[in-house]
Each structure stands twice: as C-alpha cells, then as structure tokens.
C-alpha cells in the first residue's frame, strides 16, 4: 500500500495521493492550437505511416514524453492508418521516409538537388561548386574549411536562417516600418537612400567579393574588365548588387531606362539584380547538396539522432525561388540573354531551347503607320519598314522596336553544366514573366481544378523591373500576382516535408520575401504596393530624389497656368477635380467659337468621366483613347484639325502606345498631370502651329509626385503649400 494512487477527472487534471494522505497536484494539460506544420503532418499522415510517426514524435517532444509513454497510456494516434508500431525505426530512419535522398559521398555527382524532373538524366542535378565551404570527416563529424566563417555569416544565411515566434511575426505584419536613416546615393545626382532598421550602407568593403560565390564573382569581374571597365568595386553594378545582397526590400524609382538615354545606368542595375538572383539560386543549390552529403554520411555511420536537425531544413514548398516581372517580351529577351552571359562558363556548357527562345522573344520591327494599322490596347506593334520609324521619337523606337508581347512566362533551370529554358515551372529555379502572363495562369487555375500556381508559393526574391511601363499596361495585374505569392500550396508536389524550413510551415514566408521594385518614376500604386505588400523583416530601402523639372524642354513661348483645386482625400480627389473643371474651366471653352481645345487626361477612368460630362453638356467633341478603334481615331484627328469638332479628349496611355502628333491645337487643358514627365513638353510643343496658344494645368496637393517631376521639387513644394492657388510659368 506504499504506492501512489492517480486520480483523473475527464482527462483535464490529475492528482497523486500519497500514503500519508497528502495530495500532489499535477498541472492541467492545456489544449494547444496545432501549428501549420502539425496540420500538414496530420493531413499527410492520414495516408502515410511515415508522416504519422513524425507527427506522433513531434507531439511527444512538445509534451516532454518519452517514446515508451504512448504504450503506457495506451493512447492511439489520430492520424495513423494501418500499423501503429512505434519502434526505433520510426521517422528518423531515412530508409522509411525518403529513400530517394540517399547519396554516396564517393560519387557526389549523384546527389539529388531539390525536386528534379523525372525524365532528366542522372547528371543534370549534380551539385554546384561549393567554394570549399564545409564538409564531413571520416567519422561523420562536421569539419569546416577556412571559408566556413564567411559562409556562416553571409547575408544569405543570416536572412534565411532567422526564425520568428508567432507573436513576433504578427507584430511585424501589423506595424508600419519607419525610415530612420539616410545616406547620399553614390553616382545618383540629387538623391539619397533612406531606410528602416540599422543603416548598412556606410560599411561598404570595396576589397571584398561583394558576398558573391567565388566563381560568380570571378566571371562577373572578367566580363566587366573585358568590356573596358577599370574600377569594378566602385562601379554602379557592384554598388547595386551590394544593396540587393542586403536582402532588404528596395524601391528604386528614379532609374533612367535604356530607351531614355540611360543604357549604361539601366544595364548596370540589371547586372546587379541578375547577379543577386544567380547568387541566391546557386547558394540555395549548394546548401541543399551539402546537406544531402552530410545526411548520407550520417546515415552511413548510423547517426540517426542527427538526421532531423534544424540545420537540414533547406527547402521551400516548391523549387522556384526567384520571380522577375517584366512588361514586354523584348525586355525579357534582353534580361535573359544577359542572365545567360553572367552565368559562369562551366554552368552553361549547353543552353537548351535557345533557338526557340530567340524565335519567340526576339526582335520584331516597329509599326509606325498611324492611320492604316489598328494597334491593340496591349501595344502589339509588328511589321513595318524602317523608313516609317523616323517620325516617332527615339525613345518610342527603342522601347517598342522589338517584340511587344505582354503575355509571356518562361521557366529557367540551372543544372551543373547547362541552362534549361522553357523548363517546367515546378522544376525551374527562376521564372521570368509578365504580370498578365501570370494572371492568365491564375485565372486558369480558378476554373480548372487540375491546374494550380503553387510554384509561386516559395518565391524568396521578387524583382519588378520597368514598373513604369507596367503601370501603362494594368497595374492591378501586379497586385494580383503579389497577393498570390507565398501561400501554403494546395498540393505536396513531391516535396520532402522533412526538409522544409520552419518559417514556411509557420506561414511566415512573405516576411522573408525580398521585393526589388525598379521604375523611372514613382506613383501612388507603386508606393502602396511597397508600403502594404512588402513586409520583409530585414527592412526597407528607398531612393528619394529631388527633381529639376522639365519646363526648360518646352520650346514654345507659351503661358502655362497652373490652377490648384482643393482636395484632402484620395477617395474624393476625382470628384473634386471634375467639379473644379465643370465650374471653373469648362464655362470658358463652352461659349468659345474658336475650337481647337485638346483636353489631356492621364487616367482612363478620368477620361470616361469627362466624356460623360461633355455628353451631358451636348458639347462638340471627339475621342482619342487607348480603346478607340483605329478608324475612329483617324476620323477624329481629321474632324479636330478641320474644326468640325471643337474639343478632343486625349489620354496619356494612348500617347504612350501611339505617340500621335495632334494638329490643330490652340488651347491645351491638362486635366491631370501626366505620369511620364517627358510627355509634358511633347504635348505642349504640339501647340507650335497655333498663333494664340494657351495652356491650363489642373493639380491638387495630392499630385505632389507628378508635379515635382514637371516643375521641379522646389517649385512643387511651394505650389502645394502656398496660400495662392494660381501659378504661371512662361
């Protein structure tokens, strides 16, 4: 009778009664909400003993119980189907749960790297060169080379190795990061970098290899020197790569694009982000192959207890880690060709499907016939003679002089000695696509349950280049793509769940995704995306620029009258603008018998509202918008020039895709300031044939970003803060 008596009530609590009669209370077992990882194991375990065993073991670890306590309590796992033997050869026995990951250290080229295509040869996924970062000794113990300290503190390892607690992740997702520091931008006039968190730009070691893998660094340096460069460590591409390698979100919205005489700057920034993408992919592959070798050696030495350590968590849900969004196939052609050039020679012995790539993404000549060809809304400009190009501005020719398809998507896979273009998306390392291309895939997956876009679940680096051109297409597509990233996938897709990083399983992947947004200008849509959808825990970096303005590029002696209307809310801004136009501007042109009034409108939605207003006033007007048929455009231009219609409505997007030169303008009303600053002098200079020309520009304090690009930052600040509401430039 000297033993303990255990009393339990409904399983909620228990007591131990000692022979003396004293009662010792044990803590009650508190129900704990299962994590995403546990839910995943539970789901998989319902049809697989291996995952059932893993789930049981995880529960025992959470509750501090030994492997034999389950037998004592006679409990039964709710997920096990079939044999419930909880022997020592449980989930830690590699042969039970994933025999495909076995490797032979004597033949490292047979190591399995991530998820490979079933039909691929046995040599395609051989490990990359690991720059002698670490290895395993003969006893299965880890040994480190001289460079392992550099590897262990690399930004790649630091960024992906951090794990949040749930409460920390929730706080990070809710809080608004504040920009705390600023540093002058190297080689960018009148600009500075501002950032959140700790400032890292001051400590820039120019003698280092920039954090690149050694082979990538040497190849890049050789290309730089062979192209005539003489100071790589002070170059723009090296600085921008260092910025990317910080793994912070980046908003660079003052990039001078290649089609606006910025080829050197554009190419340097492109080199920087391409090298960052390659470095991220190569380091990911190296980490996986080295872990495969370690696991194989540990199994060989029967060190089962070490097989499931956190150091071996190196997978995402799916293979693709980098997504590059671009507006046009011609730009994708330029980026992918450069990506191939920047890949070390040993990794591109063959480039598969290059001919197909050149055919589908290669150059096509621009069509400059305004009156005979109907340009679709997505600017598919094809087939024309070279003689016709001269009438268009040079930037138009450079931007639209190639393949202008805006519906494309291509996967790129790297093996040890080859680059595979058009690889299956689930076996790709990098995906290059247009926003529309991915949106089409998302739409297909919504009505066809056999299809999915789970390959977007593990994107760790998102690059959006030429966002200014994308904004002329449909920015909502970008929002749709970003909202689809880093979701828990709907299927397993052959992933080894025992190797998935913990923060993927916890649903925190979006906090690790780095977003790099590049544009020639900043608009509210880009700002909103950067502020609300970019939640990188490392922080953010943003380029802030002061503008000189483009007023000196107006060649005519025309009075430009800026009229400010009051609007304090973004939701009311459109109503306030139309109301001001209807009451202050339209009465002056309604009663005019002169005609020749062109109203330039930036947004299509504003275009529709003004059109409806003019209809309600029975005004004499014609339309030239992005959705206007070519035959109607030709007719409208003739009517306007001959005075048969007094007013013409012209949109910025129509000008972007067509670059028409409208004749017969005598009075120009800029209803909303153009996003693209180069369009402002272009449109005003169309008044050259008018003897009595005038220009009126409407703006509000909410137009600060556009206004400063036109009149300059200093003038814009004065115009939005002054008590006066009318300003004149000559």
């Amino acid at each position: 009778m000297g033993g303990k008596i255990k009393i339990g009530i409904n399983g909620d609590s228990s007591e131990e009664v000692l022979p003396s009669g004293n009662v010792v209370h044990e803590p009650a077992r508190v129900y704990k909400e299962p994590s995403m990882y546990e839910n995943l194991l539970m789901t998989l375990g319902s049809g697989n003993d291996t995952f059932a065993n893993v789930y049981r073991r995880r529960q025992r670890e959470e509750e501090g119980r030994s492997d034999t306590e389950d037998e004592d309590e006679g409990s039964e796992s709710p997920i096990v189907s079939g044999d419930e033997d909880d022997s020592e050869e449980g989930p830690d026995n590699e042969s039970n749960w994933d025999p495909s990951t076995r490797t032979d250290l004597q033949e490292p080229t047979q190591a399995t790297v991530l998820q490979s295509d079933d039909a691929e040869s046995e040599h395609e996924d051989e490990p990359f060169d690991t720059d002698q970062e670490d290895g395993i000794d003969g006893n299965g113990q880890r040994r480190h080379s001289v460079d392992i300290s550099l590897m262990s503190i690399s930004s790649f390892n630091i960024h992906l190795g951090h794990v949040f607690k749930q409460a920390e992740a929730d706080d990070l997702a809710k809080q608004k990061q504040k920009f705390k520091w600023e540093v002058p931008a190297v080689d960018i006039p009148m600009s500075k970098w501002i950032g959140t968190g700790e400032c890292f730009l001051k400590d820039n070691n120019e003698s280092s290899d920039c954090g690149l893998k050694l082979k990538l660094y040497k190849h890049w340096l050789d290309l730089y020197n062979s192209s005539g460069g003489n100071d790589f460590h002070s170059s723009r591409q090296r600085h921008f790569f260092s910025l990317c390698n910080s793994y912070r979100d980046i908003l660079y919205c003052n990039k001078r694009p290649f089609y606006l005489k910025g080829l050197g700057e554009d190419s340097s920034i492109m080199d920087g982000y391409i090298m960052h993408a390659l470095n991220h992919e190569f380091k990911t592959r190296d980490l996986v192959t080295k872990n495969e070798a370690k696991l194989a050696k540990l199994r060989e030495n029967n060190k089962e207890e070490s097989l499931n350590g956190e150091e071996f968590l190196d997978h995402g849900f799916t293979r693709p880690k980098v997504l590059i969004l671009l507006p046009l196939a011609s730009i994708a052609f330029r980026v992918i060709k450069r990506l191939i050039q920047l890949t070390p020679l040993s990794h591109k012995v063959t480039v598969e499907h290059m001919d197909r790539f050149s055919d589908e993404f290669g150059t096509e000549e621009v069509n400059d016939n305004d009156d005979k060809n109907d340009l679709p809304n997505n600017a598919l400009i094809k087939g024309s003679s070279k003689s016709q190009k001269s009438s268009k501005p040079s930037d138009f020719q450079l931007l639209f002089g190639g393949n202008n398809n805006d519906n494309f998507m291509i996967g790129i896979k790297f093996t040890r000695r080859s680059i595979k273009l058009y690889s299956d998306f689930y076996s790709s390392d990098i995906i290059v696509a247009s926003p529309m291309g991915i949106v089409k895939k998302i739409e297909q997956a919504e009505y066809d349950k056999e299809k999915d876009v789970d390959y977007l679940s593990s994107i760790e680096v998102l690059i959006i280049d030429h966002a200014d051109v994308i904004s002329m297409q449909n920015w909502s597509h970008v929002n749709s793509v970003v909202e689809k990233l880093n979701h828990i996938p709907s299927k397993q897709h052959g992933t080894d769940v025992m190797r998935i990083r913990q923060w993927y399983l916890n649903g925190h992947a979006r906090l690790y995704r780095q977003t790099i947004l590049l544009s020639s200008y900043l608009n509210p849509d880009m700002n909103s995306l950067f502020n609300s959808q970019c939640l990188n825990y490392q922080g953010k970096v943003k380029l802030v620029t002061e503008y000189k303005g483009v007023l000196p590029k107006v060649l005519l002696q025309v009075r430009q009258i800026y009229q400010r209307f009051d609007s304090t809310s973004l939701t009311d801004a459109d109503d306030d603008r139309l109301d001001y136009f209807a009451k202050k501007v339209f009465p002056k042109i309604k009663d005019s018998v002169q005609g020749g009034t062109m109203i330039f409108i930036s947004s299509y939605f504003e275009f529709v509202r003004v059109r409806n207003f003019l209809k309600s006033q029975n005004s004499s007007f014609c339309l030239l918008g992005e959705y206007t048929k070519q035959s109607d455009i030709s007719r409208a231009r003739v009517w306007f020039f001959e005075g048969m219609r007094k007013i013409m409505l012209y949109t910025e997007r129509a000008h972007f895709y067509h670059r028409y030169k409208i004749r017969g303008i005598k009075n120009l009303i800029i209803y909303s300031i153009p996003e693209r600053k180069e369009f402002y002098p272009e449109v005003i200079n169309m008044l050259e044939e008018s003897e009595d020309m005038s220009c009126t520009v409407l703006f509000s304090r909410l137009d600060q970003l556009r206004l400063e690009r036109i009149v300059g930052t200093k003038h814009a600040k004065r115009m939005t803060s002054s008590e006066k509401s009318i300003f004149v430039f000559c």
Side-chain angles (χ1 to χ4, degrees):
M1 299 294 293
K4 303 175 183 177
I5 302 174
K6 195 167 187 177
I7 303 173
I9 302 175
N10 297 329
D12 295 330
S13 63
S14 63
E15 299 176 349
E16 291 181 359
V17 183
L18 301 180
S20 61
N22 295 328
V23 178
V24 179
H25 294 273
E26 290 183 359
R29 294 183 183 177
V30 180
Y31 172 76
K32 181 181 179 182
E33 186 73 22
S35 67
M36 289 186 180
Y37 180 38
E38 291 168 335
N39 287 333
L40 180 61
L41 286 178
M42 188 183 301
T43 302
L44 295 173
S46 62
N48 187 306
D49 290 350
T50 298
F51 296 120
N53 291 334
V54 175
Y55 180 72
R56 287 207 311 274
R57 174 170 178 167
R58 180 176 178 86
Q59 283 189 318
R60 290 196 301 269
E61 292 175 350
E62 291 278 344
E63 299 171 7
R65 294 184 285 138
S66 66
D67 290 351
T68 60
E69 284 189 43
D70 281 343
E71 298 176 3
D72 294 339
E73 295 183 12
S75 61
E76 181 176 321
S77 172
I79 66 170
V80 178
S81 60
D83 187 10
E84 293 180 1
D85 182 20
D86 196 16
S87 65
E88 292 182 1
E89 290 187 358
D92 291 333
N93 189 327
E94 190 75 3
S95 62
N96 280 351
W97 55 272
D98 195 5
S100 64
T101 58
R102 288 186 174 275
T103 57
D104 186 350
L105 282 183
Q106 302 302 318
E107 297 183 52
T109 58
Q110 300 299 313
T112 302
V113 183
L114 297 177
Q115 299 85 15
S116 61
D117 293 332
D118 293 337
E120 290 170 357
S121 69
E122 62 180 357
H123 299 291
E124 283 187 339
D125 276 338
E126 294 173 343
F128 287 2
D129 298 315
T130 58
D131 297 341
Q132 297 180 344
E133 285 169 339
D134 64 357
I136 305 287
D137 63 19
N139 297 320
Q141 302 296 321
R142 295 171 189 80
R143 58 175 171 78
H144 304 295
S145 67
V146 176
D147 294 330
I148 186 60
S149 61
L150 296 176
M151 186 265 187
S152 62
I153 61 173
S154 70
S155 55
F156 172 85
N157 285 58
I158 292 173
H159 180 63
L160 299 183
H162 185 78
V163 179
F164 285 108
K165 294 181 180 179
Q166 186 61 46
E168 295 175 331
D170 292 341
D171 290 341
L172 183 63
K174 294 177 182 178
Q175 69 184 10
K176 184 177 181 180
Q177 296 178 325
K178 296 182 179 180
F179 294 96
K180 298 179 179 179
W181 54 265
E182 60 181 54
V183 174
V186 178
D187 296 332
I188 308 177
M190 303 173 64
S191 300
K192 62 184 178 183
W193 291 106
I194 62 174
T196 64
E198 296 295 327
C199 179
F200 66 96
L201 289 177
K202 294 180 181 178
D203 302 323
N204 199 5
N205 184 2
E206 295 189 356
S207 62
S208 70
D209 59 5
C210 323
L212 275 166
K213 279 181 57 64
L214 185 59
K215 182 164 285 191
L216 283 171
Y217 170 73
K218 288 181 176 179
H219 180 64
W220 195 16
L221 185 60
D222 289 343
L223 286 178
Y224 177 82
N225 292 332
S226 63
S227 65
N230 54 18
D231 189 4
F232 175 74
H233 290 290
S234 297
S235 64
R236 187 188 295 271
Q237 49 262 59
R238 191 268 186 192
H239 283 301
F240 192 72
F241 169 80
S242 298
L243 192 67
C244 295
N245 196 46
S246 70
Y247 279 95
R248 286 161 170 80
D249 290 333
I250 301 170
L251 181 63
Y252 188 130
C253 285
N254 187 31
K255 185 185 73 166
R256 194 162 51 145
F258 67 92
Y259 54 87
L260 288 175
K261 302 180 180 179
L263 180 60
E265 177 182 344
D266 204 340
S267 298
S268 296
I269 292 173
M270 181 176 69
D271 274 14
Y273 73 66
I274 288 176
M275 290 307 297
H276 178 55
L278 289 173
N279 194 50
H280 186 84
E281 286 295 343
F282 280 34
K283 286 193 172 185
T284 297
R285 298 289 296 274
D286 286 349
L287 178 62
V288 173
T289 52
K290 285 185 297 183
N291 282 343
E292 295 287 356
K294 293 177 187 179
L295 287 168
K297 196 64 179 180
L298 289 169
R299 289 187 217 107
E300 190 177 289
N301 289 276
N302 294 320
K303 295 185 177 293
E304 304 292 340
E305 71 279 358
S306 302
L307 291 176
N308 290 323
E310 291 186 1
E311 61 194 292
F312 298 120
L313 301 182
D314 50 20
H315 281 36
F317 291 117
T318 54
R319 177 167 178 159
K321 294 295 181 289
V322 177
L323 173 63
I324 303 177
L325 294 182
L326 301 169
L328 301 172
S330 59
I331 295 177
F333 185 71
R334 180 171 172 260
V335 169
I336 294 174
K337 281 187 63 178
R338 186 57 177 168
L339 183 146
I340 294 171
Q341 291 174 353
L342 290 172
T343 302
L345 298 176
S346 60
H347 295 302
K348 57 178 179 185
V349 175
T350 59
V351 180
E352 300 184 21
H353 306 299
M354 191 63 191
D355 291 341
R356 175 186 171 187
F357 172 68
S358 297
D359 291 341
E360 295 185 7
F361 285 77
T363 302
E364 298 176 10
E365 292 186 347
V366 67
N367 185 347
D368 187 37
N369 192 328
D370 290 341
D371 298 319
K372 296 182 180 180
N373 293 282
D374 184 4
L375 276 178
N377 298 319
N378 295 322
L380 299 176
I381 308 173
K382 298 182 179 180
S384 178
S385 64
K386 294 183 178 180
S387 62
Q388 291 176 318
K389 291 183 180 180
S390 59
S391 66
K392 298 292 186 184
S394 59
D395 63 295
F396 181 92
Q397 297 176 37
L398 289 171
L399 178 59
F400 291 117
N403 186 337
N404 299 294
N405 179 20
D406 64 352
N407 183 8
F408 60 87
M409 193 169 176
I410 180 172
I412 304 173
K413 177 180 178 179
F414 296 92
T415 66
R416 189 182 181 189
R417 297 187 180 278
S418 69
I419 300 174
K420 300 186 69 173
L421 303 179
Y422 295 98
S423 59
D424 178 79
F425 295 131
Y426 282 102
S427 64
S428 299
D429 296 299
I430 297 175
I431 295 176
V432 179
S434 65
M436 179 181 286
I438 298 184
V439 167
K440 293 291 186 182
K441 297 292 185 181
I442 294 173
E443 291 174 349
Q444 290 176 12
E446 288 177 351
Y447 64 78
D448 187 350
K449 299 304 180 182
E450 296 298 320
K451 298 180 180 180
D452 58 67
V453 289
D454 288 346
Y455 43 77
L456 301 177
S457 65
S458 302
I459 297 299
E460 295 172 354
V461 178
L462 169 64
I463 301 167
I464 307 174
D465 197 5
H466 297 283
D468 51 301
V469 179
I470 296 175
S471 71
M472 290 287 121
Q473 296 171 335
N474 191 338
W475 188 260
S476 66
H477 289 338
V478 178
N479 292 330
S480 298
V481 171
V482 174
E483 289 171 1
K484 204 69 177 178
L485 298 180
N486 306 120
H487 286 220
I488 302 294
S490 59
K491 304 172 186 175
Q492 186 185 350
H493 301 290
T495 307
D496 178 4
V497 296
M498 303 304 298
R499 299 278 295 278
I500 297 176
R501 293 182 185 273
Q502 188 65 44
W503 44 266
Y504 271 110
L505 298 169
N506 291 338
H508 299 158
R510 61 176 183 158
L511 302 179
Y512 290 78
R513 186 189 71 237
Q514 179 190 28
T515 303
I516 301 171
L517 180 59
L518 307 169
S519 174
S520 67
Y521 61 77
L522 178 64
N523 68 13
D525 288 331
M526 299 174 197
N527 239 343
S528 176
L529 178 74
F530 191 69
N531 292 333
S532 62
Q533 298 294 328
C534 300
L535 304 173
N536 189 343
Y537 82 90
Q538 290 278 20
K540 300 180 178 182
V541 184
K542 179 179 180 179
L543 186 70
V544 177
T545 301
E546 291 190 6
Y547 295 89
K548 294 181 179 179
V550 295
L551 295 180
K553 295 184 179 181
V554 176
L555 304 178
L556 306 176
Q557 295 295 321
V558 54
R559 284 167 54 89
Q560 302 155 58
I561 304 173
Y562 283 74
Q563 299 182 18
R564 191 185 72 209
F565 61 92
D566 293 329
S567 184
T568 57
S569 170
L570 284 173
T571 57
D572 298 331
D574 290 342
D575 291 335
D576 295 336
R577 189 184 302 272
L578 182 60
D579 184 65
Y580 185 88
F581 172 79
K583 294 179 180 179
K584 301 292 184 180
V585 179
F586 181 71
K588 298 178 182 178
I589 62 176
K590 179 180 181 181
D591 300 328
S592 174
V593 295
Q594 182 181 21
T597 298
M598 186 174 84
I599 303 176
F600 182 90
I601 303 174
S602 177
S603 162
Y604 178 75
F605 299 104
E606 293 173 332
F607 170 81
V608 172
R609 298 191 70 174
V610 174
R611 179 199 65 190
N612 293 341
F613 171 77
L614 294 179
K615 282 184 178 180
S616 69
Q617 300 297 314
N618 296 319
S619 300
S620 172
F621 70 97
C622 56
L623 305 174
L624 205 166
E626 55 263 40
Y627 296 103
T628 309
K629 294 180 180 179
Q630 185 65 39
S631 57
D632 293 337
I633 289 175
S634 301
R635 189 180 302 111
R637 293 174 69 184
V638 172
W639 285 347
F640 183 72
F641 176 69
E642 295 180 351
M644 299 172 65
R645 296 289 187 273
K646 292 184 178 180
I647 301 172
M648 170 181 280
L649 301 187
Y650 188 35
T651 66
E652 179 176 7
R653 195 164 179 253
H655 190 66
F656 175 76
Y657 283 122
H658 299 276
R659 292 310 246 312
Y660 293 123
K661 185 174 181 180
I662 308 300
R663 301 178 61 191
I665 306 175
K666 300 175 182 178
N667 178 27
L668 175 63
I669 298 174
I670 298 182
Y671 181 85
S672 49
I673 301 173
E675 291 275 19
R676 307 184 73 86
K677 61 182 181 181
E678 63 270 17
F679 287 177
Y680 181 83
E682 274 188 23
V683 173
I684 292 185
N685 288 335
M686 291 182 187
L687 290 165
E688 61 183 350
E689 297 180 359
S690 174
E691 296 180 357
D692 185 20
M693 43 192 174
S694 63
C695 175
T696 302
V697 184
L698 307 185
F699 75 100
S700 73
R701 290 183 172 89
L702 300 177
D703 294 323
Q704 175 77 29
L705 292 175
R706 301 185 189 195
L707 187 64
E708 66 176 352
R709 293 194 288 268
I710 304 299
V711 303
T713 301
K714 292 181 179 179
H715 287 312
K717 289 180 179 179
R718 179 173 60 87
M719 293 167 66
T720 53
S721 61
S722 174
E723 294 182 359
K724 298 180 180 179
S725 61
I726 297 179
F727 307 87
V728 180
F729 293 92
C730 296

